[in-house]
Amino acid sequence: MEFLSALLNSMPGAVTQGLIWGIMAIGVYITFRILDIADLTVDGSLCTGGAVCVVLTLNGCPVWIAMLAGLVTGVFHTFCGIPAILAGILTQLALYSINLRIMGFGTPNGSRSNLPISVDKYDLLVSSRFVRELSLNNPLIKLVIFLAIIIAVLYWFFGTETGCSLRATGANGNMARAQGINTNFAKVLGLMISNGLVALSGGLLAQYQGFSDINMGRGAIVIGLAAVIIGEVIFEKVFRNFALKLVACVIGAIIYYIVIQFVLKLGLSTDDLKLLTALVVMFFLAIPYWKGRYFNKPGKKGAQSHA
């Protein structure tokens, strides 16, 4: 009973974190599934979003630098001829120093690895303090509304001519170019949108936990991929609409954090979280293979109908 009580008490926080990371998962989905690019920039741009959000609140600072993270990756990949995965690694590496500079804005030495922000002094959009309150301050309510707006806007955008060009670029770049689509521009735009969403998630995460940290984005790409894969494996037969696929990414992030909370309540050390994340991703990646190999019955010979 004590275990169940502790688990239930942790559920509001787990769902809230899942919703915040669900925004990041949508950004990962855009590059991973739509553009077919393995973008590792997100480990840096998540921290950039958190750092910019906190510094903006404390001092005042341009917020568009997180969008530029995707632009830099896109330029490296399309105009410098650098493979996408290496371009993401280079941008992620550069963002480490940039994030330190951002969080050190206005301080004597010019760099900080941690920057706190208090809900008592600033009017934050989301805060973990109110996660169990039945009021409009509860971040769960705000995040659900926020995600509904984001998914609606993305659903509209990817139905436009520009959005369709992004989808065509990821589906078949050669055919897209043959149709007159500027695939380099499409990749850059897609990477900007993706990292903009990731940075937005980082800003919300920094507010929720009450600080930004230089390591807050470490391993973010794995969590994002976990959310995408979990959502696809569970809802692939049901959610075929594009908007519903984005919803599946968010639900995947929520399920991931519920699993994490469940295992932590069983006594797993926090030092093993990265190992647990890798195991969760591997498990859900293996499910489609297991289903096809061990559970789907082969069709009978001669069962096909002939015209």
Side-chain angles (χ1 to χ4, degrees):
M1 289 298 293
E2 184 178 347
F3 169 77
L4 289 177
S5 177
L7 183 63
L8 289 174
N9 286 333
S10 67
M11 283 301 101
V15 174
T16 302
Q17 287 193 70
L19 290 172
I20 293 174
W21 284 87
I23 299 175
M24 189 272 296
I26 291 174
V28 172
Y29 180 86
I30 290 174
T31 53
F32 184 60
R33 288 304 189 205
I34 296 179
L35 288 179
D36 195 25
I37 292 176
D39 181 26
L40 300 183
T41 310
V42 297
D43 281 22
S45 57
L46 183 88
C47 181
T48 303
V52 169
C53 175
V54 173
V55 170
L56 181 66
T57 305
L58 296 176
N59 300 291
C61 175
V63 75
W64 297 106
I65 191 167
M67 292 288 284
L68 292 178
L71 175 62
V72 170
T73 299
V75 169
F76 279 168
H77 174 48
T78 57
F79 298 111
C80 299
I82 301 175
I85 190 168
L86 293 180
I89 292 172
L90 290 173
T91 309
Q92 176 195 139
L93 182 65
L95 280 175
Y96 187 89
S97 297
I98 294 174
N99 293 337
L100 284 173
R101 290 294 182 181
I102 293 173
M103 287 192 286
F105 184 80
T107 59
N109 63 350
S111 66
R112 292 185 63 173
S113 61
N114 188 288
L115 198 61
I117 183 169
S118 174
V119 69
D120 295 325
K121 297 181 181 180
Y122 304 96
D123 187 20
L124 303 182
L125 182 63
V126 293
S127 174
S128 60
R129 181 178 299 183
F130 307 119
V131 74
R132 291 183 177 86
E133 289 190 3
L134 295 175
S135 67
L136 293 178
N137 286 328
N138 193 315
L140 277 169
I141 301 173
K142 296 179 180 178
L143 288 169
V144 168
I145 297 173
F146 204 46
L147 273 162
I149 294 172
I150 290 174
I151 291 173
V153 171
L154 288 174
Y155 181 73
W156 165 81
F157 171 75
F158 280 99
T160 64
E161 183 177 349
T162 303
C164 288
S165 69
L166 264 69
R167 299 170 76 170
T169 299
N172 191 324
N174 293 330
M175 182 61 72
R177 281 190 292 271
Q179 297 298 319
I181 296 173
N182 187 337
T183 55
N184 286 345
F185 171 78
K187 289 178 182 179
V188 172
L189 180 60
L191 286 164
M192 289 180 67
I193 294 172
S194 170
N195 283 280
L197 289 169
V198 173
L200 175 62
S201 174
L204 292 170
L205 181 62
Q207 292 183 59
Y208 178 77
Q209 64 189 13
F211 64 93
S212 64
D213 185 83
I214 191 63
N215 293 316
M216 65 185 291
R218 182 169 294 177
I221 182 62
V222 179
I223 298 175
L225 289 175
V228 172
I229 292 166
I230 291 171
E232 287 181 341
V233 168
I234 296 177
F235 301 105
E236 63 178 345
K237 301 294 185 181
V238 182
F239 290 177
R240 297 185 179 277
N241 179 275
F242 178 72
L244 292 179
K245 288 181 179 180
L246 299 182
V247 172
C249 293
V250 178
I251 297 175
I254 294 173
I255 293 173
Y256 169 81
Y257 270 95
I258 290 176
V259 171
I260 292 295
Q261 286 297 323
F262 178 81
V263 176
L264 287 177
K265 295 304 177 184
L266 288 175
L268 181 74
S269 171
T270 54
D271 294 338
D272 298 325
L273 277 178
K274 299 299 183 185
L275 174 61
L276 174 62
T277 299
L279 292 175
V280 169
V281 175
M282 287 192 301
F283 174 76
F284 279 95
L285 278 173
I287 286 178
Y289 173 77
W290 292 340
K291 285 169 61 179
R293 184 174 178 85
Y294 300 111
F295 297 101
N296 289 344
K297 295 182 180 179
K300 296 181 180 180
K301 294 183 179 181
Q304 295 180 351
S305 59
H306 299 280

Coordinates of all heavy atoms in Angstrom, one line a residue, residues 55-92:
V55 N 17.3 33.6 -18.4 CA 18.0 34.9 -18.5 C 17.1 36.0 -19.0 O 17.2 37.1 -18.5 CB 19.2 34.8 -19.4 CG1 19.8 36.1 -19.8 CG2 20.3 33.9 -18.8
L56 N 16.2 35.7 -19.9 CA 15.2 36.6 -20.4 C 14.4 37.1 -19.2 O 14.1 38.3 -19.1 CB 14.4 36.0 -21.5 CG 13.3 36.9 -22.1 CD1 13.9 38.0 -22.9 CD2 12.4 36.0 -23.0
T57 N 14.0 36.2 -18.4 CA 13.1 36.6 -17.2 C 13.9 37.4 -16.2 O 13.4 38.4 -15.7 CB 12.6 35.3 -16.5 OG1 11.9 34.5 -17.5 CG2 11.6 35.7 -15.4
L58 N 15.2 37.1 -16.0 CA 16.0 37.8 -15.0 C 16.5 39.1 -15.5 O 16.6 40.1 -14.8 CB 17.1 36.9 -14.6 CG 16.8 35.6 -13.8 CD1 18.0 34.8 -13.5 CD2 16.0 35.9 -12.6
N59 N 16.9 39.2 -16.8 CA 17.7 40.3 -17.3 C 17.1 41.0 -18.6 O 17.2 42.2 -18.8 CB 19.1 40.0 -17.6 CG 19.9 39.5 -16.4 OD1 20.1 40.2 -15.5 ND2 20.2 38.2 -16.4
G60 N 16.6 40.1 -19.5 CA 16.2 40.6 -20.8 C 17.2 40.2 -21.8 O 18.3 40.6 -21.8
C61 N 16.8 39.3 -22.8 CA 17.8 38.7 -23.7 C 17.0 38.3 -24.9 O 15.9 37.8 -24.8 CB 18.5 37.6 -23.0 SG 19.6 36.7 -24.1
P62 N 17.6 38.3 -26.1 CA 17.0 37.8 -27.3 C 16.6 36.3 -27.2 O 17.5 35.5 -26.8 CB 18.0 38.1 -28.5 CG 18.9 39.1 -27.9 CD 18.9 38.9 -26.5
V63 N 15.4 36.0 -27.5 CA 14.9 34.6 -27.3 C 15.1 33.8 -28.6 O 15.0 32.5 -28.6 CB 13.5 34.6 -26.9 CG1 12.5 34.9 -28.1 CG2 13.1 33.3 -26.2
W64 N 15.5 34.4 -29.7 CA 15.5 33.7 -31.0 C 16.8 32.8 -31.2 O 16.9 32.2 -32.2 CB 15.3 34.6 -32.2 CG 14.0 35.3 -32.1 CD1 13.8 36.6 -31.7 CD2 12.7 34.7 -32.4 NE1 12.4 36.9 -31.8 CE2 11.8 35.7 -32.2 CE3 12.3 33.5 -32.8 CZ2 10.4 35.5 -32.3 CZ3 11.0 33.2 -32.9 CH2 10.0 34.2 -32.7
I65 N 17.7 32.9 -30.2 CA 18.9 32.1 -30.4 C 18.7 30.6 -30.5 O 19.4 29.9 -31.2 CB 19.9 32.4 -29.3 CG1 21.3 31.9 -29.6 CG2 19.5 31.9 -28.0 CD1 22.4 32.4 -28.8
A66 N 17.6 30.1 -29.8 CA 17.3 28.7 -29.9 C 16.9 28.3 -31.3 O 17.2 27.2 -31.8 CB 16.2 28.4 -28.9
M67 N 16.2 29.2 -32.0 CA 15.8 29.0 -33.4 C 17.0 28.9 -34.3 O 17.1 28.1 -35.2 CB 14.9 30.1 -33.9 CG 13.5 30.1 -33.3 SD 12.5 28.7 -33.8 CE 12.0 29.2 -35.4
L68 N 18.1 29.7 -33.9 CA 19.3 29.8 -34.7 C 20.1 28.5 -34.6 O 20.9 28.1 -35.5 CB 20.2 30.9 -34.3 CG 19.6 32.3 -34.6 CD1 20.6 33.4 -34.1 CD2 19.4 32.5 -36.1
A69 N 19.8 27.7 -33.5 CA 20.5 26.4 -33.4 C 20.2 25.5 -34.5 O 21.0 24.8 -35.1 CB 20.1 25.8 -32.0
G70 N 18.9 25.4 -34.9 CA 18.4 24.6 -36.0 C 18.9 25.2 -37.3 O 19.3 24.4 -38.2
L71 N 19.0 26.5 -37.4 CA 19.5 27.1 -38.6 C 21.0 26.8 -38.9 O 21.4 26.4 -40.0 CB 19.4 28.7 -38.5 CG 20.0 29.5 -39.7 CD1 19.3 29.1 -41.0 CD2 19.9 31.0 -39.4
V72 N 21.8 26.8 -37.8 CA 23.2 26.5 -37.9 C 23.4 25.0 -38.4 O 24.2 24.7 -39.2 CB 23.9 26.7 -36.5 CG1 25.3 26.1 -36.6 CG2 24.0 28.2 -36.2
T73 N 22.6 24.1 -37.7 CA 22.7 22.7 -38.1 C 22.3 22.5 -39.6 O 23.0 21.8 -40.3 CB 21.8 21.8 -37.3 OG1 22.2 21.9 -35.9 CG2 21.8 20.4 -37.7
G74 N 21.2 23.2 -40.0 CA 20.8 23.1 -41.4 C 21.8 23.6 -42.4 O 22.1 23.1 -43.4
V75 N 22.5 24.7 -42.0 CA 23.5 25.3 -42.9 C 24.7 24.4 -43.0 O 25.2 24.2 -44.1 CB 23.9 26.7 -42.4 CG1 25.1 27.2 -43.1 CG2 22.8 27.7 -42.5
F76 N 25.1 23.9 -41.8 CA 26.3 22.9 -41.9 C 26.0 21.8 -42.8 O 26.8 21.3 -43.6 CB 26.5 22.4 -40.4 CG 27.3 23.3 -39.6 CD1 27.4 23.0 -38.2 CD2 28.0 24.4 -40.1 CE1 28.1 23.9 -37.4 CE2 28.7 25.2 -39.3 CZ 28.8 25.0 -37.9
H77 N 24.7 21.3 -42.7 CA 24.4 20.1 -43.5 C 24.2 20.3 -45.0 O 24.7 19.6 -45.8 CB 23.1 19.4 -42.9 CG 22.6 18.3 -43.7 ND1 23.4 17.2 -44.1 CD2 21.3 18.0 -44.1 CE1 22.6 16.4 -44.8 NE2 21.4 16.8 -44.8
T78 N 23.5 21.4 -45.3 CA 23.1 21.7 -46.7 C 24.1 22.4 -47.5 O 24.3 22.2 -48.7 CB 21.7 22.4 -46.7 OG1 21.8 23.6 -46.0 CG2 20.6 21.6 -46.1
F79 N 24.7 23.4 -46.9 CA 25.6 24.3 -47.6 C 27.1 24.0 -47.4 O 27.9 24.4 -48.2 CB 25.4 25.7 -47.3 CG 24.0 26.2 -47.6 CD1 23.1 26.5 -46.6 CD2 23.6 26.3 -48.9 CE1 21.8 26.9 -46.9 CE2 22.3 26.7 -49.3 CZ 21.4 27.0 -48.3
C80 N 27.4 23.2 -46.4 CA 28.8 22.9 -46.1 C 29.1 21.4 -46.5 O 30.2 21.0 -46.4 CB 29.2 23.1 -44.7 SG 29.1 24.8 -44.2
G81 N 28.1 20.7 -46.8 CA 28.2 19.3 -47.2 C 28.6 18.4 -46.1 O 29.1 17.2 -46.3
I82 N 28.3 18.8 -44.9 CA 28.6 17.9 -43.7 C 27.4 17.0 -43.5 O 26.3 17.5 -43.5 CB 28.8 18.8 -42.4 CG1 30.0 19.8 -42.7 CG2 29.1 18.0 -41.2 CD1 30.3 20.8 -41.6
P83 N 27.6 15.7 -43.2 CA 26.5 14.8 -43.0 C 25.7 15.3 -41.8 O 26.2 15.9 -40.8 CB 27.2 13.5 -42.6 CG 28.5 13.6 -43.4 CD 28.9 15.0 -43.3
A84 N 24.4 15.0 -41.8 CA 23.4 15.5 -40.8 C 23.8 15.2 -39.4 O 23.8 16.0 -38.5 CB 22.0 15.0 -41.1
I85 N 24.3 13.9 -39.2 CA 24.6 13.5 -37.8 C 25.8 14.3 -37.3 O 25.9 14.7 -36.1 CB 24.8 12.0 -37.7 CG1 24.9 11.6 -36.3 CG2 26.0 11.6 -38.5 CD1 24.8 10.1 -36.1
L86 N 26.8 14.5 -38.2 CA 28.0 15.3 -37.8 C 27.7 16.8 -37.6 O 28.2 17.4 -36.7 CB 29.1 15.1 -38.8 CG 29.7 13.7 -38.9 CD1 30.8 13.7 -40.0 CD2 30.3 13.3 -37.6
A87 N 26.8 17.3 -38.4 CA 26.4 18.7 -38.3 C 25.7 18.9 -36.9 O 25.9 19.9 -36.2 CB 25.4 19.1 -39.4
G88 N 24.8 18.0 -36.5 CA 24.2 18.1 -35.2 C 25.2 18.0 -34.1 O 25.1 18.7 -33.1
I89 N 26.2 17.1 -34.2 CA 27.2 17.0 -33.1 C 28.0 18.3 -33.0 O 28.3 18.8 -31.9 CB 28.1 15.8 -33.4 CG1 27.4 14.5 -33.3 CG2 29.3 15.8 -32.5 CD1 28.2 13.3 -33.7
L90 N 28.4 18.9 -34.1 CA 29.1 20.1 -34.1 C 28.3 21.3 -33.5 O 28.8 22.0 -32.7 CB 29.5 20.5 -35.5 CG 30.6 19.6 -36.2 CD1 30.8 20.0 -37.7 CD2 31.9 19.8 -35.5
T91 N 27.0 21.4 -33.8 CA 26.2 22.4 -33.3 C 26.0 22.2 -31.8 O 26.0 23.1 -31.0 CB 24.8 22.5 -34.0 OG1 25.1 22.5 -35.4 CG2 24.1 23.7 -33.6
Q92 N 25.8 20.9 -31.4 CA 25.6 20.6 -30.0 C 26.8 21.0 -29.2 O 26.7 21.5 -28.1 CB 25.3 19.1 -29.9 CG 25.2 18.6 -28.4 CD 25.3 17.1 -28.4 OE1 25.9 16.6 -27.5 NE2 24.6 16.4 -29.3

